[in-house]
């Protein structure tokens, strides 16, 4: 029996003529990493987490920005520019558990539904727990976790696309070179 062909050799093999079948099986569908961003508005998501949204989307993650009911009908172009998609709060929990959640703290304080989603993300075993990042000034009394400051330094491309997304959304002005979050530990 011959040894199997290495993956590197398979990737570098010449293309097959049209109409012939591949000698190697097609890869199984692999679930992509998920980032869910919970924000009070599209503008808040872009200003606070736009670089993170872009960088994760360009890394192949599925990025969903969940906005309050009022934000769903508004122009979602800024989020699409960053590579994400907008969803309403009615779809929260219907998608697979994300690997990362970024949440505006005012939503955790004011929305029972968002608070439940964030708490549920931390209640599973460590291997399946979602990373939870939050931004904002409020301290949520409902979350009994320690918060550690973390920073995301957006790539040059992320900063450029974020500036375009902000311009489309009507916001202009200099943006900080880092996005600050608090990681829930």
């Amino acid at each position: 029996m011959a040894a199997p062909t290495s993956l590197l050799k398979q990737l570098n093999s010449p293309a097959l003529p049209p109409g012939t079948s591949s000698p190697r099986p097609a890869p199984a569908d692999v679930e992509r990493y998920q980032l869910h961003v919970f924000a009070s508005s599209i503008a808040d998501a872009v200003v606070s987490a736009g670089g993170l949204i872009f960088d994760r989307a360009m890394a192949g993650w599925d990025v969903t920005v969940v906005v309050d009911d009022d934000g769903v009908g508004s122009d979602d172009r800024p989020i699409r520019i960053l590579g994400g998609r907008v969803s309403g709060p009615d779809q929260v929990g219907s998608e697979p558990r994300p690997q990362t959640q970024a949440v505006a703290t005012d939503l955790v304080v004011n929305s029972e539904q968002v608070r439940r989603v964030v708490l549920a993300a931390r209640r599973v075993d460590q291997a399946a727990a979602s990373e939870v990042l939050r931004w904002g000034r409020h301290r949520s009394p409902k979350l009994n976790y320690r918060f550690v400051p973390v920073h995301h330094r957006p790539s040059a491309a992320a900063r450029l696309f974020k500036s375009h997304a902000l311009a489309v959304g009507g916001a202009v002005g200099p943006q900080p070179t880092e996005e600050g979050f608090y990681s829930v530990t």
Side-chain angles (χ1 to χ4, degrees), residues 26-142:
D29 288 335
V30 178
E31 191 173 308
R32 292 170 55 179
Y33 284 103
Q34 304 275 326
L35 166 64
H36 291 179
V37 178
F38 298 90
S40 56
S41 67
I42 289 174
D44 182 32
V46 174
V47 168
S48 302
L52 179 68
I53 292 168
F54 179 86
D55 284 336
R56 295 285 171 99
M58 291 303 107
W61 289 47
D62 282 330
V63 179
T64 303
V65 177
V66 180
V67 294
D68 194 15
D69 283 330
D70 300 334
V72 175
S74 64
D75 187 4
D76 68 342
R77 285 182 301 161
I79 298 301
R80 288 187 289 131
I81 287 170
L82 297 173
R85 64 184 171 87
V86 175
S87 177
D90 55 329
Q91 295 173 340
V92 173
S94 64
E95 296 177 346
R97 180 183 308 277
Q99 283 74 21
T100 303
Q101 294 178 354
V103 184
T105 305
D106 61 335
L107 282 180
V108 176
V109 171
N110 298 325
S111 170
E112 181 64 34
Q113 185 179 17
V114 171
R115 188 169 37 256
R116 278 196 316 264
V117 169
V118 170
L119 290 172
R122 300 304 302 168
R123 282 195 190 120
V124 296
D125 64 33
Q126 285 299 89
S130 295
E131 175 185 27
V132 177
L133 303 172
R134 70 167 180 85
W135 73 84
R137 296 182 186 262
H138 295 100
R139 172 89 165 109
S140 176
K142 305 284 185 180

